[in-house]
Structures are given as C-alpha cells and as structure tokens.
Amino acid sequence: MALQDFNILLYEEFEILDAFGPVEVIGELKEHYRIRFVSQNGGPVTCKQQAAIDTLPFGEMDSSGVLLIPGGYGTRPLVEDVEFMTHLRSLAEAAPYVLTVCSGSAVLARTHLLDGRKATSNKLSFAWVMTQGEQVDWQKKARWVKDGKYYTSSGVSAGIDMALGFVSDRFGEEKAMQITKYMEYLWNRNQDNDPFAI
C-alpha cells in the first residue's frame, strides 16, 4: 500500500502540543502515513513555545493527504487572512480527513465547511471560537467530536485522545491501544468524557 501524507498545517504562534501530540500518535503508523509539516509560504514556522519547524509551502504539498490543524494564539489573526482561508478551504475539501485541535476548529469553522456539523474546541476559548462559525453545532461537553470526515478536539492534550480515536476508527482499537502502551499514555477513550466542559 502506498504511503499517504499526513499534513500538519503550521502557522506562527501555533500551540506545540496541539501539533506534536497527534504527531506522536500518527508517527507510530509509518506503514500508512508519512508526516509532512506545511505552511502557507513554507520555511521555518515558530510555535508559541519558540521552537522553529521547517515546513513545505502549500504549493508543494499533496492535498490528497490527511490534514491536521492545530490551535494556538496564532489562530486569531489567521481567521482574518483572506488568502490563507481561501487556500485552507480548498485543502480541507480535498483531504479525505480533517482533524483540528483546540482553536484549530475556529479556523476550519471560518471556511464554513463545519456549517451544520457538530464540533468542539478549547473550553477556555469557546466563546471566541463560536463566533467564527455561527452555523456550527458546537458541543460544549466533548473531549473530541467526529462528524463525517471531520474530527475536532478540545484543548491541547485532547488532540492526543482524538488522534487515538482516529487510529481506532481507521485501524481498530487494538492498534490504538498498542500505541498507548508504547507512549505510556492513559487514553480517554470516551469522547464524551470531558472534565473541562463548560
């Protein structure tokens, strides 16, 4: 089976665990996915924690791969970037699956692709996130939500639980549990068990 790209979309001031929590999980599926870091213009992108990650520009990415959008403080100016949002909508439409972590769901919501769908986000940013997609069926109590090809998670560490849920859906719960044992991670398997709910 040919490897499929798993594209991690980065931008300035993204939250590092939003991206690298799922990367830790998906990185254990080397027989299925090749992880690629992408950004609008390519080159180094610096996260909130000041680590710089080298990226490919949108024009060089395989848009038929899975797309993951992390959250972070950088989402605030990002939703106002018309050129970025136009590109993102095209990329999200082409992707077989789109995963968001934290306020990454606000960015996706701004494309209107979540209109009429269930989604969640970081509870500390929930009020702002909801303003980015007034037609979205926002779930105030959810660790993560799956609606069609779209997966959205609550804040930061919830992206790990969501990524494991994605693995379980695609490759079986046994595979997801193998990854948790390698990580020594206590997976919250119940997507409705949200201890940080509003």
Side-chain angles (χ1 to χ4, degrees):
M1 183 192 308
L3 287 176
Q4 184 178 38
D5 282 358
F6 199 103
N7 297 305
I8 314 295
L9 193 162
L10 302 182
Y11 51 87
E12 293 297 321
E13 291 285 299
F14 73 92
E15 177 66 39
I16 196 165
L17 191 62
D18 286 12
F20 283 90
V23 164
E24 179 70 37
V25 173
I26 302 303
E28 294 304 307
L29 299 172
K30 294 179 179 68
E31 69 276 26
H32 298 289
Y33 294 116
R34 176 176 54 190
I35 293 173
R36 292 287 183 263
F37 296 98
V38 302
S39 67
Q40 185 171 10
N41 299 311
V45 176
T46 304
C47 68
K48 176 177 175 279
Q49 291 74 19
Q50 299 302 302
I53 311 301
D54 199 28
T55 64
L56 294 171
F58 286 166
E60 294 181 21
M61 67 180 280
D62 181 354
S63 60
S64 68
V66 177
L67 182 65
L68 183 136
I69 308 166
Y73 289 113
T75 57
R76 271 63 172 180
L78 205 61
V79 296
E80 304 298 336
D81 185 331
V82 175
E83 182 181 2
F84 175 89
M85 296 305 301
T86 300
H87 279 135
L88 176 60
R89 182 180 174 99
S90 297
L91 295 173
E93 286 177 321
Y97 296 98
V98 181
L99 289 68
T100 72
V101 183
C102 194
S103 56
S105 60
V107 181
L108 184 61
R110 194 66 178 258
T111 69
H112 295 287
L113 293 175
L114 290 179
D115 285 1
R117 295 183 179 274
K118 293 181 179 180
T120 195
S121 193
N122 186 318
K123 303 311 183 296
L124 294 177
S125 302
F126 214 81
W128 174 77
V129 169
M130 287 192 299
T131 66
Q132 304 308 308
E134 296 181 355
Q135 301 304 312
V136 179
D137 184 5
W138 292 109
Q139 304 296 297
K140 294 182 178 181
K141 184 179 180 182
R143 188 68 172 160
W144 80 92
V145 172
K146 178 184 183 297
D147 192 331
K149 72 174 189 176
Y150 299 102
Y151 286 73
T152 58
S153 80
S154 188
V156 193
S157 66
I160 301 172
D161 292 332
M162 176 192 68
L164 288 163
F166 173 78
V167 171
S168 183
D169 290 346
R170 298 279 291 127
F171 306 105
E173 187 171 305
E174 182 178 353
K175 182 64 176 177
M177 291 306 298
Q178 288 174 357
I179 295 173
T180 67
K181 288 177 183 177
Y182 168 75
M183 294 172 62
E184 296 193 5
Y185 180 75
L186 295 175
W187 177 28
N188 180 355
R189 285 181 280 179
N190 180 355
Q191 64 192 74
D192 297 319
N193 180 10
D194 182 5
F196 302 98
I198 297 171

